[in-house]
Each structure stands twice: as structure tokens, then as C-alpha cells.
Amino acid sequence: MLHSVDTCSCHFNAIPLHRCLNRYKNALVRPSGTSQSLDTSAASNMIRSFLLVAAVASAASARVMDSLAAVPRGWESARPALPEETVSLRIALKQQRAEALEQAVLDISTPGHPKYGRHLTRDELRSYTTPSRSATLAVTRWLEDHNVQTAVADNDWVTFSTTVENASHLLKTDFAWYRNVENNIELKLRTLAYSVPDEVAPHIDLVQPTTRFGQPVAKRSTIFEMHHLDANAANKIKLAAAGQANCNLTITPDCLKWLYDIKYKPTDSIENTIAFASFLEQYARYDDFQTFQSRYIPEAQGQNFTVELVNGGLDDQNSWRDSGEANLDVQYIHAVSHPAPILQYSTGGRGPLIPTKTQPKPPGTNEPYLEWLIYLLNQTDDKIPKVISVSYGEEEQSIPRDYAVKVCNMFMQLGGRGVSVIFASGDSGPGTHCIRSTDNATFFEPTFPAGCPYVTSVGATYLTNPEKAISFSSGGFSMYHPRPQWQRTAVEPYLRTIGDTYAPYFDPRGRAIPDISAQGSNFNVIDKGYNSLLSGTSASAPVVAGIVGLLNAARYTLGLPSLGFLNPWLYNNSDAFTDVVAGAGVGCRRRKELGYGGASWNATVGWDPVTGLGTPKFGRLLQLAAPGVANA
């Protein structure tokens, strides 16, 4: 039986949530004569009910901004946070003209619109995103009333540090340390719910990091696999000519140029810079870059890449950590676009691995995406690169909805400033676990941030004549973002084709993933001095970024602006892509109702959720982007 616990009494008598929850757990007693093991499913449901009731009770004086039914999969409670420990938080203030900004970005990104290509300056963008004066004053006053003296306001963000005790009181919650069960080391300071007073709630989009855990593979590289080659095998690849037989086995720079008909060569002007983002202490290596040049692009020898450090990021050339992702990014952007300059953003921040008893260092931000995006959007117009490749992602449902929407808004802002943001779609086909966290039902797993409509999501192919969808290439339909207008004509024929197939397992109204695709299997990479073969949509994204960089460079020679937010232009020019009609993305093999082989998104005529519109025809793209510029 269950001994009742008065959850409302817990709230109104100011009993901390975790202590009241412990009372609730202790009220679960085993019936006599039964096994000593507790029915964990029943316990989970009861605890979930408690949290919901507690949230309702809190709503009497404050608005619940976000709440989780339970600790997310892959994490476990490690210990309560000590009152004197420090937590750093960011408050996103509501933008005055958010809807007008979205329309402005769509206007300047839609071919044929009178404003097409008229990108916003940083100051013009801020005229849309700046919060009202009353919003800033209300939130600042609220913080001051709770003895927060270090708050810094920067446009639509307020940043502050305080003690755990004070933050818990401020947000009507309890912070605790949670452990990543995969590595049993990584700890994050988080909470399962938070609220803000009714008088400031209308001015706030979110407060993070609070409920944003991430999966154990959070922001992981989307490299699917990596193999080292011995010297003899590597030398054979070096000597092989690009062509169908050799490029079916491994991918080199010559293979990509041959397959996608890339002949155009840009200048090394700084305006042609292509950037990529590195997280999780991955650093591209200069020695490996130079070895890659000498082996595969000897005409490019002497060029190097530059690094900008963000949020305490490093450029550690002697790190023992994995560098495969960063090396793959820099080497294959370079392979496609040399001699265009390349910039690596090395962003620190995923939380302390072993915090001290009273003071974790650095204090608790744990959010490299936010730190990196805020840094980018603060750059002056002459400092922001116009193409950025990102090969990190995670399961969309592991992200709080308000966080996903806010981050997507920030990618939209980049698009408004003329930046094309390219994301790898992921390496799990329709999904891996395929369990919906809200009710444990079978459900496909779209990826984040690839599900944001304002990034260009890239799937993967292999083979050359014809190219085929590769089994790991992720795709599907966003849970959070509705399908945009520019995607409907391409996507809806696919949905009509599959009918009710998999109907219970995805939302057909969602933003469709991916947009396009490129080769993603067995890329030759130099990593820590070894010749290696890497596979994943992590390989596909930098290839597309390099191609977009070439198109921008050609446009600049005609006095045209960068392409900026790409997707309306891509879907308006689907004939510039080779339709991939064979292969499938496969996943969800652990779900019995889907059968032994799991589920698959098949490549088919037109757009599909494994290769998107298809792979690039560079000559045609160049003709469309920069009419009259020769592909030579």
C-alpha cells in the first residue's frame, strides 16, 4: 500500500522539494509476503505524480517554467548540492519583436523576394531581439531582491552567479549533482523543475542550465566509426586515382571533386573564411593538417588554419583526448575549398568531471552551445564567418523544449546575418533506443539541433554509381518544430507514399530531416599521425560546408552577398541535387514491435528522411548561385 504524503503541505510549509520527495519514496512499502524488490514502474509513476502535484501547487504563486517527470535516461542522482556551492545561470529575456524577426529572416532568405540577400547587421538584428525596458528592469529588480549583485545584462540575456542556496530559493527548486552513468565520472549541477514569480514570468523565455541534462552522448561527435590503416594500405590509397572503383572503397579529396564536379578555386581572401565548431576538448592538430596536405593536396602545402577560443576553450596540440572529429572537419573543409581560410572555434564547457566539495570549477555553466552562440552573435559584422559546420548532436527529446526553441532562434539570428549553418544529421537512422521519455512508448528519435528549421541538416551516402543512402544516416521529423512552408511541397509527397507506415512512431507535421546529403563513409583522415578511415554524417557536413563556401566566394566576385540561411534556396532549386533512390537509414532494432530488423527510412524518388533532396551537383549550384562564373 501507499502511505499518503501531503504534497501541498510540503510546498506551503517551504519543505525543500528533494526532502519532500524522499518522504514520498519512503512511503512506498512492500506488501507482506512479497519479494523484497519494489515494483519500480509503480514507484516511478507515483513519484512522477508527486512531481506533477508539486508543480501544480507551486503554480499558486509562481509559474512553472519547466519540469521533468524523472531523472533523464543515462543520469542518476549523485548527491545533494551544498548550500555554499556556486552556480552560474543565464536568463533569456523575451525579445520585443521575435515574430517580426522570423518574418524578416524568411524574406531575406527566399529567392524572388524583394529583400532577398539583404542581410541584417548586428545592430539591425538587435533592434528585433532587444527586450523591453520594463522586462529588463523587472528581472533585474527580482534578482536584486534576492541578493544577486553580480547580474550582467547583455541585450536579451542576463548572466549571474550565486550560491546554490540562493538559486534554489530564487527558482523555487532544489539543485543537486547528477552523474553520467555511462562514464560514471561526469557530474552536472541540475534540477528537475524550476519556477519564477508570476510578475516576471511574462518577461522570461528560460533559465539555464537547470533542467537541461543532455544524454550520456550529449553533443557527441557524429562519427560513426574510425579505423586506423597500416602504412602499406595508406600508401595504396594515396597512389590510387579518383574514379568509381577506388572511390567506392575509400574517399579522398580527389574523390569528392570528381564525384561532385568541383573545379572552381576561390581566393584566400579573409571574406571566404569557413568555420567549424569543436566541443568536448577536441582540437584539430597542425601536424596532422600538414601531413594531410602533403599526402592528398600537395598544391595546398603551406596553408594553415586559425583558432578562436570560446568559454575557456583550448588549443592543446598535445592533448591525449580524441581529435578525430576536429581533424576530419578541418581536413575535409580544406579538401573541398582550399585555399579558402579555415577557422576553428574551440569552445570549452561541459561541466567539471570531479568537483571539489564546496566549489566546482568552472562554476556550473555546462552549456557550450549557448556560450558559443552568444559569442558568435556578439561578433562584429566583419568578424563573423559566413559558413559554419557543426558535427555534434543529440536526441531531440533529451532537450527541454524551451531550450531547443531558444537555440533554434539563435541559429535563425545567424541566418539573418548572412551565415549558413550546416549540421550533421546524426548516425542512428530513425533512432537507437526509440523510447518516448514521457510514456515509454515506441517512438522514433529526431536529432537536435538538426531538427531546427534554421540549420541545414546533412545526411550521408556511400558508393558512387549510383550513390546510395548509408544505413546509419539519421533522419525523421522534429518533435518540437513544425514543418516550414518552404519544405512542404518536397516532403508531403513522401508522406503520401508511405501512408500509415510507422504512423504511431513519429509526428508527420514536424520539420523534416535531413535537407540534403553527401558522402559519409570511409574518409581518409590523418589523426595523431595515423592514416585512418572515418565514417559518419560528421564527414558529410564539412563537405557541404566547403561547397557552400565555394559558392559564396563565387558570389563575392560578382558583388553578391553570401547565401545566408540556405534552406528556402535549396528547396527552390532541388534540380541542383542528384536524387538518391537506393538504400535506407536503419535503427530502432531494440523495439520488439518493429521486428528483428528494426525500422528503416528508405531512400526514394524525391525528398526522403535519409538523404533529403540528394547530393550536390556543384556545376548546377554554381550556375544558380553565381550566374556566369565558370566552374574552373
Side-chain angles (χ1 to χ4, degrees):
M1 63 175 291
L2 173 67
H3 293 314
S4 64
V5 175
D6 186 347
T7 56
C8 292
S9 173
C10 281
H11 171 70
F12 290 114
N13 287 301
I15 298 174
L17 188 61
H18 76 271
R19 295 196 186 108
C20 200
L21 182 55
N22 285 336
R23 290 187 185 181
Y24 195 72
K25 290 177 180 177
N26 292 335
L28 297 173
V29 295
R30 302 177 181 87
S32 59
T34 64
S35 166
Q36 290 297 302
S37 63
L38 179 65
D39 182 344
T40 56
S41 176
S44 176
N45 288 335
M46 292 173 183
I47 293 169
R48 182 180 295 112
S49 298
F50 166 83
L51 289 171
L52 293 174
V53 171
V56 171
S58 297
S61 59
R63 183 181 303 180
V64 178
M65 301 295 288
D66 192 29
S67 63
L68 305 179
V71 177
R73 186 175 69 235
W75 295 90
E76 64 182 8
S77 178
R79 66 169 175 84
L82 299 178
E84 65 271 25
E85 290 183 308
T86 299
V87 58
S88 294
L89 298 168
R90 285 190 183 273
I91 301 173
L93 302 179
K94 286 197 181 296
Q95 301 165 353
Q96 284 192 86
R97 303 172 63 202
E99 291 183 4
L101 173 60
E102 184 167 15
Q103 187 59 55
V105 173
L106 288 173
D107 290 346
I108 63 181
S109 306
T110 301
H113 193 280
K115 294 183 178 180
Y116 180 66
R118 293 168 59 180
H119 301 128
L120 303 173
T121 66
R122 182 180 66 173
D123 291 342
E124 288 171 339
L125 180 74
R126 286 195 166 196
S127 72
Y128 290 94
T129 61
T130 299
S132 67
R133 178 173 173 78
S134 60
T136 303
L137 288 174
V139 171
T140 302
R141 188 178 300 114
W142 170 54
L143 294 175
E144 290 174 347
D145 289 345
H146 287 79
N147 298 315
V148 175
Q149 305 297 329
T150 59
V152 177
D154 182 10
N155 199 45
D156 55 334
W157 290 93
V158 175
T159 306
F160 67 97
S161 296
T162 188
T163 63
V164 163
E165 181 178 39
N166 200 32
S168 297
H169 182 61
L170 186 74
L171 300 175
K172 294 179 170 55
T173 190
D174 280 296
F175 283 90
W177 288 100
Y178 295 87
R179 181 184 294 108
N180 179 332
V181 298
E182 183 177 78
N183 60 34
N184 205 36
I185 298 176
E186 183 182 1
L187 294 172
K188 288 189 176 184
L189 184 61
R190 293 293 186 267
T191 183
L192 299 183
Y194 72 97
S195 304
V196 300
D198 287 336
E199 59 268 25
V200 298
H203 304 307
I204 293 176
D205 281 333
L206 58 82
V207 183
Q208 290 290 354
T210 48
T211 54
R212 155 85 163 118
F213 282 72
Q215 292 295 88
V217 291
K219 289 177 289 295
R220 66 171 180 167
S221 155
T222 45
I223 286 178
F224 180 68
E225 59 185 356
M226 177 175 178
H227 301 294
H228 290 313
L229 299 175
D230 60 39
N232 185 46
N235 194 50
K236 288 180 179 178
I237 292 171
K238 175 184 176 181
L239 297 175
Q244 180 181 345
N246 295 322
C247 298
N248 275 342
L249 299 175
T250 62
I251 292 296
T252 64
D254 285 345
C255 285
L256 294 171
K257 292 189 173 184
W258 164 76
L259 181 61
Y260 298 138
D261 188 32
I262 301 171
K263 302 184 181 75
Y264 180 76
K265 188 172 182 178
T267 69
D268 61 359
S269 170
I270 194 67
E271 69 177 350
N272 293 336
T273 297
I274 302 168
F276 68 99
S278 289
F279 303 100
L280 302 180
E281 296 88 46
Q282 286 230 11
Y283 316 107
R285 297 174 182 267
Y286 304 118
D287 288 348
D288 289 337
F289 187 72
Q290 291 158 10
T291 301
F292 182 81
Q293 284 178 333
S294 64
R295 179 171 288 275
Y296 297 113
I297 322 174
E299 67 273 22
Q301 288 186 80
Q303 181 180 344
N304 212 333
F305 61 93
T306 57
V307 180
E308 283 189 26
L309 308 181
V310 182
N311 191 41
L314 302 175
D315 183 19
D316 185 354
Q317 294 296 301
N318 298 308
S319 171
W320 57 268
R321 295 181 181 274
D322 184 19
S323 54
E325 175 59 60
N327 277 331
L328 171 63
D329 287 340
V330 72
Q331 289 171 25
Y332 276 88
I333 290 174
H334 186 54
V336 172
S337 65
H338 72 85
I342 304 174
L343 170 65
Q344 175 186 214
Y345 289 111
S346 177
T347 303
R350 62 170 168 180
L353 295 182
I354 306 177
T356 61
K357 184 176 180 181
T358 60
Q359 180 60 70
K361 294 178 183 276
T365 55
N366 289 327
E367 274 314 320
Y369 269 143
L370 280 183
E371 300 294 343
W372 174 63
L373 284 168
I374 291 169
Y375 174 86
L376 275 179
L377 288 167
N378 277 331
Q379 297 301 296
T380 57
D381 298 323
D382 61 327
K383 297 293 185 183
I384 194 164
K386 295 303 187 284
V387 186
I388 303 174
S389 180
V390 191
S391 292
Y392 295 78
E394 54 198 295
E395 188 182 344
E396 190 178 57
Q397 70 169 343
S398 74
I399 311 300
R401 181 186 293 268
D402 59 354
Y403 178 93
V405 170
K406 186 63 179 180
V407 167
C408 190
N409 171 276
M410 298 171 83
F411 286 125
M412 178 182 70
Q413 293 178 51
L414 286 173
R417 292 184 64 182
V419 180
S420 302
V421 184
I422 315 297
F423 261 92
S425 71
D427 295 337
S428 56
T432 302
H433 297 284
C434 298
I435 302 171
R436 186 165 51 204
S437 58
T438 55
D439 59 5
N440 290 327
T442 296
F443 203 78
F444 293 164
E445 296 168 351
T447 52
F448 166 89
C452 169
Y454 290 96
V455 306
T456 297
S457 174
V458 183
T461 61
Y462 75 123
L463 302 180
T464 61
N465 190 25
E467 289 185 82
K468 294 184 178 181
I470 198 161
S471 61
F472 58 70
S473 183
S474 287
F477 299 84
S478 173
M479 302 170 65
Y480 294 158
H481 304 286
R483 182 154 53 256
Q485 180 65 42
W486 42 261
Q487 206 178 36
R488 291 176 186 170
T489 300
V491 172
E492 288 171 5
Y494 176 83
L495 292 171
R496 288 195 295 269
T497 298
I498 65 171
D500 292 335
T501 306
Y502 301 138
Y505 310 130
F506 71 97
D507 184 348
R509 301 165 298 177
R511 182 269 204 262
I513 311 165
D515 298 300
I516 57 176
S517 53
Q519 286 282 315
S521 178
N522 286 337
F523 275 49
N524 286 274
V525 174
I526 306 299
D527 184 53
K528 294 184 179 178
Y530 290 99
N531 295 276
S532 304
L533 295 181
L534 277 70
S535 297
T537 55
S538 276
S540 312
V543 170
V544 169
I547 287 173
V548 176
L550 292 179
L551 298 177
N552 280 343
R555 287 174 63 83
Y556 298 152
T557 67
L558 300 178
L560 297 173
S562 62
L563 287 167
F565 169 44
L566 284 171
N567 293 353
W569 185 78
L570 297 177
Y571 283 86
N572 197 54
N573 293 293
S574 58
D575 66 320
F577 297 89
T578 299
D579 194 7
V580 179
V581 298
V586 182
C588 303
R589 291 184 173 94
R590 305 178 186 184
R591 305 304 289 172
K592 293 180 180 179
E593 56 267 61
L594 295 172
Y596 176 77
S600 62
W601 294 122
N602 293 328
T604 188
V605 174
W607 181 92
D608 57 68
V610 59
T611 63
L613 297 172
T615 58
K617 302 175 184 176
F618 181 76
R620 177 61 178 151
L621 288 167
L622 182 63
Q623 189 179 49
L624 292 164
V629 174
N631 185 19

